Amino acid sequence: MTQDVEMKEQAAPSNSLPSFSPSTLHNLKEIASLIETGAYDREVGRILRAIRLTMALRRKLKASALSAFLNFTLIPESEALTRLSSYLPKEDEHAMEVDTATSAPQAPAKHSLPEIEIYCYLLVLMFLIDQKKYNEAKACSSASIARLKNINRRTVDVLAARLYFYYSLCYELTGDLAEIRGNLLSLHRIATLRHDELGQETLLNLLLRNYLHYNFYDQAEKLRSKAPRFEAHSNQQASSPVQFCRYLFYLGKIRTIQLEYTDAKECLLQAARKAPIAALGFRVQCNKWAIIVRLLLGEIPERTVFMQKGMEKALRPYFELTNAVRIGDLELFRSVAEKFSSIFSSDRTHNLIVRLRHNVIRIGLRNISISYSRISLVDVAKKLRLDSVADAESIVAKAIRDGAIDVTLDHASRCMLSKEIGDIYSMTEPQTVFNSRIAFCLNMHNEAVRALRFPPNSYKEKESAEKRRERQQQEQELAKHIAEEDDDEF
């Protein structure tokens, strides 16, 4: 489709104004025709294709092309045309004459379809956001949402999901996200009553993002637990996999705050794996949270995690943090946390990094227990750079109780005694690790099978070649018999 657009632009006349592209207007008209066909035939796939084509044209949208398209599609002097035209900047008289002359040879086809009207709202809203006119975008999005509440058509659901997203984005960019929380809840209730599954998924993600933006994790978990299950219809619409990735990311953040690190790690890694390759920023955020969660679990992420294409610079602070945790150096950990405190605060991971202090001490203790068979608590305090020997004694005792290190504590001589390390293959740990890997592979296979799209009636038994020949032979004999009876009658 990109090549087609480029070919059309090359064929455009050279005397056209730079602010107006006839090829863009022509493509918008083709997209409108595609939406009209999908609305009449009730094919959601055509409208999904129209949205994909629109995303390819987004950077080429101009005010003059949008104005000409609105005049071409919407009924003259209608409320939608008047409102949408007021959001677009006014062009000079010369540009308006060129627009009229360009579109004059074609008779305007006026549409009263709700799908076309909502699509016009979507176009103008995307244009205003790209032009950073956020106040006008807020007004346009509010008007589009008010119009959507009065439309109950399944072919509008795909366009409505896009409008919900940009509606929330406008208020987030202006810092007024809390104002629309009640409206989003109302829209989610309407989508549930109308069985709009894509709208439910989109609005649930927007509500979770709204709550997490203000650190309302308890309210977000209550909403998530009461809402319909996401996995039940995660592959029915083309946009659902993207929404499912967002849902997993928000769920991973909630589980992390609730100290459920194992579930959080699974959700975050799955979100990063399922995310589109083009969504680099989203995958970076998933990896940042996943790295912190793995460190909190006592794991050390592999170096390849930090060397992913396009993520090296963004993950550099977390690489240095991981290195400090791996070494078990508390002083280095503090310096890294202070050095990148602004980045950690902007990523909202600073509070999680504070939790890592205890893990750094435990890893340092584990390294000491492996290196020394007997060491005094005074030396332990010096190596870990703790304030006093009493702190070192209490920390070692707690680590022994939690099973983090396999040592004994001699309170009389104030020293730590390490036990001999036995053969690890005589224990059950290799079996546990092997079992977890097998479970992961089986789970991934089951998810891949569920994600497959099978043709209808594929489960029914197909007709064999022998049965087909017998059926055709019977049909031929029956036709011959009927023909003979007709000849007898004549």
Side-chain angles (χ1 to χ4, degrees):
M1 185 60 196
T2 306
Q3 296 178 354
D4 297 341
V5 173
E6 291 176 354
M7 292 293 291
K8 292 176 183 177
E9 286 182 348
Q10 292 175 0
S14 59
N15 57 353
S16 61
L17 290 178
S19 62
F20 179 77
S21 176
S23 63
T24 303
L25 178 59
H26 178 69
N27 290 329
L28 289 176
K29 291 178 181 179
E30 288 183 348
I31 293 173
S33 176
L34 187 63
I35 293 176
E36 183 180 6
T37 305
Y40 283 128
D41 296 342
R42 296 182 180 181
E43 294 184 9
V44 181
R46 292 180 181 269
I47 300 179
L48 285 169
R49 185 187 172 199
I51 291 179
R52 287 195 294 269
L53 296 176
T54 305
M55 293 298 118
L57 289 175
R58 180 171 179 175
R59 294 184 179 179
K60 301 179 182 179
L61 292 179
K62 303 293 182 181
S64 54
L66 282 178
S67 179
F69 178 71
L70 294 178
N71 292 326
F72 174 78
T73 53
L74 299 179
I75 299 175
E77 299 181 359
S78 62
E79 182 181 358
L81 178 61
T82 305
R83 180 182 290 113
L84 291 176
S85 299
S86 64
Y87 297 132
L88 298 176
K90 303 298 181 182
E91 300 290 334
D92 55 5
E93 296 180 357
H94 182 62
M96 292 299 293
E97 291 174 359
V98 174
D99 297 347
T100 306
T102 307
S103 58
Q106 296 180 352
K110 304 302 178 183
H111 301 279
S112 59
L113 285 174
E115 290 81 2
I116 297 295
E117 181 181 347
I118 297 301
Y119 178 70
C120 292
Y121 272 108
L122 180 62
L123 279 178
V124 174
L125 185 55
M126 289 191 302
F127 173 76
L128 293 174
I129 293 175
D130 292 341
Q131 298 296 319
K132 298 183 179 181
K133 298 180 179 180
Y134 300 135
N135 292 327
E136 292 85 349
K138 283 174 60 177
C140 180
S141 62
S142 300
S144 65
I145 294 301
R147 180 71 180 94
L148 273 176
K149 290 182 177 179
N150 300 323
I151 302 176
N152 185 11
R153 293 163 66 100
R154 299 287 68 80
T155 49
V156 181
D157 293 344
V158 180
L159 298 168
R162 289 280 179 172
L163 277 180
Y164 296 149
F165 172 77
Y166 289 117
Y167 173 58
S168 178
L169 179 62
C170 292
Y171 281 83
E172 183 177 355
L173 292 172
T174 55
D176 302 325
L177 200 56
E179 295 181 5
I180 62 170
R181 190 178 303 144
N183 203 9
L184 290 177
L185 288 168
S186 175
L187 290 171
H188 186 270
R189 182 170 62 252
I190 293 173
T192 305
L193 294 175
R194 292 176 177 177
H195 302 285
D196 177 10
E197 295 180 349
L198 183 57
Q200 293 178 51
E201 296 173 357
T202 305
L203 289 166
L204 177 60
N205 282 334
L206 294 176
L207 283 166
L208 292 177
R209 182 180 182 87
N210 197 308
Y211 283 123
L212 298 183
H213 183 77
Y214 294 99
N215 296 325
F216 296 154
Y217 287 92
D218 291 338
Q219 291 88 330
E221 173 58 21
K222 290 179 181 178
L223 173 67
R224 188 208 63 79
S225 61
K226 300 296 182 182
R229 287 182 61 85
F230 224 104
E231 298 84 357
H233 42 77
S234 61
N235 289 296
Q236 289 185 4
Q237 298 287 355
S239 297
S240 292
V242 177
Q243 298 297 334
F244 188 50
C245 289
R246 292 174 180 164
Y247 173 78
L248 289 173
F249 176 61
Y250 297 143
L251 180 59
K253 294 177 72 173
I254 293 172
R255 291 288 181 261
T256 304
I257 298 301
Q258 294 177 338
L259 306 180
E260 299 178 10
Y261 298 135
T262 304
D263 294 341
K265 172 192 168 185
E266 182 180 352
C267 291
L268 293 169
L269 292 179
Q270 192 176 2
R273 188 174 65 251
K274 289 178 175 289
I277 299 177
L280 181 61
F282 178 80
R283 291 191 292 119
V284 167
Q285 288 296 322
C286 290
N287 278 281
K288 286 179 178 180
W289 279 75
I291 289 169
I292 297 297
V293 170
R294 292 184 67 179
L295 291 175
L296 289 169
L297 283 170
E299 303 176 5
I300 303 298
E302 301 80 6
R303 184 180 288 267
T304 55
V305 174
F306 305 95
M307 299 300 156
Q308 299 180 62
K309 185 178 180 180
M311 300 186 188
E312 298 90 345
K313 184 177 179 181
L315 297 180
R316 184 65 187 180
Y318 293 87
F319 174 74
E320 295 189 16
L321 184 71
T322 302
N323 189 41
V325 175
R326 180 182 62 84
I327 298 173
D329 191 341
L330 192 59
E331 190 65 27
L332 180 60
F333 173 77
R334 290 172 181 169
S335 63
V336 172
E338 292 176 359
K339 179 181 178 181
F340 300 105
S341 60
S342 59
I343 297 178
F344 295 146
S345 298
S346 62
D347 294 337
R348 298 196 171 194
T349 56
H350 187 268
N351 291 335
L352 300 177
I353 292 172
V354 173
R355 299 181 188 177
L356 279 175
R357 181 180 180 275
H358 192 63
N359 292 60
V360 176
I361 295 174
R362 283 194 173 187
I363 292 175
L365 275 177
R366 189 182 300 126
N367 294 336
I368 292 172
S369 66
I370 294 173
S371 303
Y372 298 90
S373 59
R374 179 187 179 94
I375 185 172
S376 64
L377 294 178
V378 177
D379 294 334
V380 171
K382 289 180 180 179
K383 288 183 176 295
L384 296 178
R385 300 182 183 182
L386 301 175
D387 298 331
S388 63
V389 179
D391 292 343
E393 186 175 3
S394 62
I395 290 173
V396 171
K398 190 174 186 302
I400 294 172
R401 186 195 65 182
D402 296 340
I405 54 177
D406 190 12
V407 300
T408 57
L409 189 59
D410 189 353
H411 295 280
S413 59
R414 299 178 72 83
C415 63
M416 186 177 72
L417 304 175
S418 301
K419 297 180 181 179
E420 293 185 3
I421 301 175
D423 184 11
I424 192 172
Y425 289 100
S426 63
M427 305 177 186
T428 59
E429 185 175 355
Q431 179 185 359
T432 305
V433 174
F434 187 60
N435 182 56
S436 64
R437 292 179 180 178
I438 292 177
F440 173 78
C441 294
L442 291 175
N443 186 32
M444 186 165 57
H445 173 266
N446 293 335
E447 289 182 1
V449 172
R450 283 197 296 267
L452 292 175
R453 295 187 177 183
F454 299 98
N457 300 329
S458 61
Y459 60 90
K460 293 183 179 179
E461 184 179 359
K462 294 184 179 180
E463 187 178 22
S464 62
E466 184 178 355
K467 291 183 178 180
R468 190 186 307 110
R469 284 195 298 270
E470 292 179 0
R471 179 176 54 80
Q472 291 176 354
Q473 184 178 0
Q474 291 176 0
E475 291 176 355
Q476 291 176 359
E477 292 178 355
L478 180 61
K480 183 178 179 181
H481 180 68
I482 294 174
E484 290 177 353
E485 289 182 353
D486 292 340
D487 293 340
D488 294 341
E489 290 177 359
F490 283 110

